[in-house]
């Protein structure tokens, strides 16, 4: 595995490479009458979704067109996730299935990137098992993608370039953004928390924050191009600023973001409970534009399990934070992540998770079966929970979360609430779909012309995870 070196391409020669590839794609289209196309399949979290947007930006500049079909692609990219094993298995399955496509279309380029590639054993396995993969790169050198692609196109052998360590944050890349109604903005990268089950600190590197000025400039640009809502992204936004020279924290950043003219909604993800400050709760309560929704991963309800997970808070600490948030921010939605079957989790430990879920009254929860991640401290713990027990507990928790979510949603019935209209429903294009500030989906009849607007909708039916309504 390589470390970043000064010989890596600079922004100016990346621009040259982009132009060279653009020319080549243009000639190909003139000669054959067919444009070059790409497809990116993304796994995992919003961070990965946003990385794929950056790749799309590069590809658009290089003159590639997007397609939904692997068969008609000249370039297939898998942006992978390794947080749990099932995401990895899906990628392996799909890579296997591509062998026949490569035989039919020998100029096809197959690239794999993202978190899975930051693990040596995965890269070796892919090289050995899927020799039809042409390009492998990681999370730390995504900004060099045009250079890597050009190298791949000019070489017969596969290119593997994975940096084992993060480099400096690269700003000002020639990324052609997708200016949507809602936009992701990275405010920081990496994680220093080393929760004992989690692979992220090993794949995304140490925590580093972007400068306030760079974040604000990006948001200003997005808003001036039509974005109404931004989602500020970081593995733990509550430690934003720790790596900056200036004394600035996440609340200070939010105070600046709310001042940007034209911004309507600000969201963020994710908050580690151990670092959630009273100052942040006050900032959220003060500013209408900061959405009243917080995603606050609990992970487990038992203090014994929390300690073994290295989460650095207790169930009591967690409930105290929830109480404070609910007191200061009326109508707030609290969502969470919960892992079932961490090593040595007993039935009693699990029941404590149920109790905390009941007391916290979550609006929704992502629930996961614990998945062994090679290289993390929890992977080698004795006392792994049998799969059968994990599955039974999972079902019990899911039932409880669904029930709490349904009960919570009944409070919305007959209320008139503001909804950002995001698009039409997949099932019926006469029905629009949007989100409340609390991040709940609302479906209602309306004209496509109002997509992108914030409208008031009266809730006529409250289901477990969505509402029906009518515009008032
Ligand atoms: N097994 C199961 N779930 C995990 N998560 C992280 N690592 C694992 C693992 N090894 C979950 C956590 C985290 C979410 C993004 O993924 O709940 O908050
Ligand atoms: Fe993983 Fe914990 Fe960091 Fe979240 S805070 S990314 S769970 S190590």
């Amino acid at each position: 595995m390589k470390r970043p070196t000064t010989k890596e391409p600079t922004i100016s020669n990346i621009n040259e490479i982009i132009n060279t590839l653009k020319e080549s794609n243009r000639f190909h289209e003139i000669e054959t009458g067919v444009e070059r196309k790409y497809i990116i399949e993304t796994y995992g979290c919003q961070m990965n979704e946003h990385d794929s947007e950056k790749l799309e930006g590069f590809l658009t500049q290089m003159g590639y067109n997007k397609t939904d079909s692997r068969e008609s692609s000249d370039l297939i990219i898998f942006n992978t996730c390794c947080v749990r094993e099932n995401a990895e298995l899906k990628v392996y399955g799909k890579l296997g299935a591509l062998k026949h496509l490569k035989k039919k279309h020998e100029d096809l380029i197959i690239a794999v990137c993202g978190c899975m590639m930051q693990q040596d054993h995965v890269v070796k396995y892919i090289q050995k098992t899927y020799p039809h993969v042409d390009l492998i790169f990681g999370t730390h050198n995504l900004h060099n993608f045009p250079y890597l692609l050009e190298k791949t196109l000019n070489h017969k052998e596969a290119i593997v370039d994975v940096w084992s360590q993060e480099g400096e944050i690269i700003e000002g890349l020639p990324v052609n953004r997708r200016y949507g109604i809602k936009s992701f903005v990275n405010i920081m990268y990496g994680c220093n928390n080393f929760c004992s089950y989690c692979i992220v600190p090993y794949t995304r590197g140490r925590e580093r924050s972007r400068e306030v000025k760079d974040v604000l400039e990006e948001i200003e640009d997005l808003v001036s191009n039509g974005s109404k809502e931004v989602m500020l992204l970081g593995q733990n936004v509550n430690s934003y600023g720790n790596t900056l020279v200036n004394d600035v924290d996440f609340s200070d950043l939010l105070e600046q973001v709310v001042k940007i003219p034209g911004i309507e909604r600000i969201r963020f993800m994710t908050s580690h409970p151990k670092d959630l400050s009273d100052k942040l709760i006050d900032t959220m309560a003060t500013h209408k534009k900061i959405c009243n929704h917080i995603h606050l991963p609990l992970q487990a309800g038992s203090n014994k399990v929390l300690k073994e997970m290295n989460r650095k808070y207790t169930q009591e600490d967690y409930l105290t934070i929830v109480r404070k948030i609910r007191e200061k921010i009326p109508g707030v939605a609290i969502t969470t992540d919960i892992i079932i079957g961490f090593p040595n989790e007993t039935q009693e430990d699990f029941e404590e998770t149920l109790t905390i879920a009941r007391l916290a009254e979550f609006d929704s929860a992502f629930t996961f079966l614990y998945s062994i991640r090679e290289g993390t401290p929890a992977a080698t713990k004795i006392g792994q929970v049998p799969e059968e027990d994990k599955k039974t507990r999972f079902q019990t928790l899911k039932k409880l979360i669904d029930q709490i979510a349904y009960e919570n949603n009944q409070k919305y019935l007959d209320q008139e609430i503001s909804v950002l209209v995001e698009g039409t429903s997949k099932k019926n294009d006469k029905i629009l779909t949007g989100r409340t500030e609390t991040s709940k989906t609302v479906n209602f009849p309306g004209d496509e012309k109002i997509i992108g607007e914030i409208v008031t909708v009266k809730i006529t039916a409250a289901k477990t995870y969505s509402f029906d309504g009518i515009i008032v």
Side-chain angles (χ1 to χ4, degrees), residues 191 193-195 197-198 200-201 235 272 299 311:
C191 182
N193 288 311
F194 291 94
C195 301
Y197 50 82
C198 184
V200 170
Q235 303 297 345
H272 194 308
Q299 310 298 7
R311 290 291 288 175

Side-chain angles (χ1 to χ4, degrees), residues 324-363:
K324 273 193 209 163
I325 296 173
R326 292 209 189 279
E327 261 168 34
K328 295 223 166 151
I329 314 172
V332 68
I334 302 181
T335 57
T336 200
D337 292 345
I338 298 175
I339 298 176
I340 310 292
F342 183 81
N344 292 312
E345 180 193 75
T346 61
Q347 184 60 23
E348 290 70 34
D349 292 322
F350 169 66
E351 278 165 20
E352 290 193 55
T353 299
L354 296 178
T355 306
I356 306 303
R358 250 182 239 114
L359 292 171
E361 295 182 58
F362 293 122
D363 287 82

Side-chain angles (χ1 to χ4, degrees), residues 83-84 197-198 297 299 337-339 368-371 373:
V83 167
R84 284 170 296 277
Y197 50 82
C198 184
Q299 310 298 7
D337 292 345
I338 298 175
I339 298 176
F368 307 109
L369 298 182
Y370 169 70
S371 168
R373 302 290 69 207

Side-chain angles (χ1 to χ4, degrees), residues 205-252:
R206 294 292 60 71
E207 178 187 301
R208 57 247 183 248
S209 298
R210 287 178 73 194
E211 294 288 343
V212 174
K213 147 181 130 350
D214 293 325
V215 174
L216 295 179
E217 274 173 20
E218 181 174 347
I219 300 175
E220 278 160 11
D221 183 33
L222 288 164
V223 171
S224 65
N225 281 284
S227 284
K228 296 278 164 70
E229 176 178 309
V230 286
M231 166 73 93
L232 309 179
L233 293 178
Q235 303 297 345
N236 176 18
V237 293
N238 298 331
S239 56
Y240 174 81
N242 286 357
T243 58
L244 296 176
V245 179
N246 295 341
D247 186 16
V248 58
D249 64 15
F250 183 50
S251 301
D252 301 331

Side-chain angles (χ1 to χ4, degrees), residues 21 25 36-41 55 58-59 62 64-67 69-78 98 105 107-112 134-135 137 145 149 152-153:
L21 289 177
N25 285 339
R36 286 223 167 95
K37 299 188 212 61
Y38 75 91
I39 182 168
I40 304 182
E41 298 194 18
L55 291 173
F58 279 132
L59 287 162
M62 292 188 273
Y64 281 92
N65 291 279
K66 193 173 174 171
T67 169
S69 129
R70 287 189 215 140
E71 277 71 21
S72 65
S73 295
D74 301 280
L75 170 63
I76 302 178
I77 304 178
F78 290 102
L98 285 183
H105 177 2
D107 292 336
L108 170 68
I109 300 285
I110 301 173
V112 201
D134 303 285
L135 169 63
F137 60 103
F145 171 66
L149 180 61
T152 310
L153 290 163

Side-chain angles (χ1 to χ4, degrees), residues 50-304:
H50 190 33
D51 281 352
S52 291
E53 285 183 0
K54 293 177 187 171
L55 291 173
E56 279 192 16
F58 279 132
L59 287 162
T60 309
Q61 291 210 335
M62 292 188 273
Y64 281 92
N65 291 279
K66 193 173 174 171
T67 169
D68 293 336
S69 129
R70 287 189 215 140
E71 277 71 21
S72 65
S73 295
D74 301 280
L75 170 63
I76 302 178
I77 304 178
F78 290 102
N79 187 3
T80 64
C81 166
C82 59
V83 167
R84 284 170 296 277
E85 191 186 15
N86 48 8
E88 293 194 339
L89 296 179
K90 272 190 209 152
V91 170
Y92 291 143
K94 292 206 173 161
L95 285 178
L98 285 183
K99 201 170 166 185
H100 76 281
L101 258 191
K102 186 86 184 182
K103 277 195 189 134
K104 275 204 270 179
H105 177 2
E106 28 168 76
D107 292 336
L108 170 68
I109 300 285
I110 301 173
V112 201
C113 63
C115 289
M116 272 172 81
M117 302 310 116
Q118 291 301 136
Q119 306 172 94
D120 262 328
H121 69 273
V122 171
V123 172
K124 285 193 186 114
Y125 179 73
I126 291 184
Q127 285 179 292
K128 191 172 111 220
T129 322
Y130 308 103
H132 50 286
V133 169
D134 303 285
L135 169 63
I136 294 178
F137 60 103
T139 56
H140 301 313
N141 58 342
L142 187 105
H143 56 278
N144 277 349
F145 171 66
Y147 159 81
L148 297 169
L149 180 61
E150 193 205 33
K151 222 163 129 183
T152 310
L153 290 163
N154 292 331
H155 284 72
K156 282 263 170 292
E157 324 80 70
I159 303 288
V160 179
D161 192 353
V162 179
W163 292 359
S164 57
Q165 272 181 8
E166 64 279 7
E168 297 274 296
I169 295 179
I170 312 281
E171 297 288 354
L173 286 171
V175 177
N176 206 8
R177 290 197 194 91
R178 279 195 287 162
Y179 292 105
I181 302 159
K182 307 199 300 181
S183 304
F184 295 128
V185 175
N186 288 118
I187 61 164
M188 57 203 296
Y189 300 93
C191 182
N192 287 354
N193 288 311
F194 291 94
C195 301
S196 64
Y197 50 82
C198 184
I199 195 80
V200 170
Y202 309 89
T203 60
R204 291 268 171 185
R206 294 292 60 71
E207 178 187 301
R208 57 247 183 248
S209 298
R210 287 178 73 194
E211 294 288 343
V212 174
K213 147 181 130 350
D214 293 325
V215 174
L216 295 179
E217 274 173 20
E218 181 174 347
I219 300 175
E220 278 160 11
D221 183 33
L222 288 164
V223 171
S224 65
N225 281 284
S227 284
K228 296 278 164 70
E229 176 178 309
V230 286
M231 166 73 93
L232 309 179
L233 293 178
Q235 303 297 345
N236 176 18
V237 293
N238 298 331
S239 56
Y240 174 81
N242 286 357
T243 58
L244 296 176
V245 179
N246 295 341
D247 186 16
V248 58
D249 64 15
F250 183 50
S251 301
D252 301 331
L253 176 72
L254 284 173
E255 291 285 354
Q256 297 291 319
V257 177
V258 291
K259 286 190 202 141
I260 294 176
I263 185 107
E264 303 270 4
R265 287 180 166 190
I266 302 154
R267 300 186 185 279
F268 53 86
M269 203 160 203
T270 289
S271 282
H272 194 308
K274 80 175 164 59
D275 297 314
L276 193 133
S277 65
D278 290 355
K279 184 176 169 191
L280 176 64
I281 301 176
D282 288 338
T283 307
M284 287 181 74
T286 308
H287 297 287
K288 181 84 190 70
K289 290 187 173 177
I290 304 176
C291 291
N292 53 1
H293 167 220
I294 187 153
H295 187 70
L296 196 65
L298 167 68
Q299 310 298 7
S302 131
N303 285 342
K304 180 198 92 187

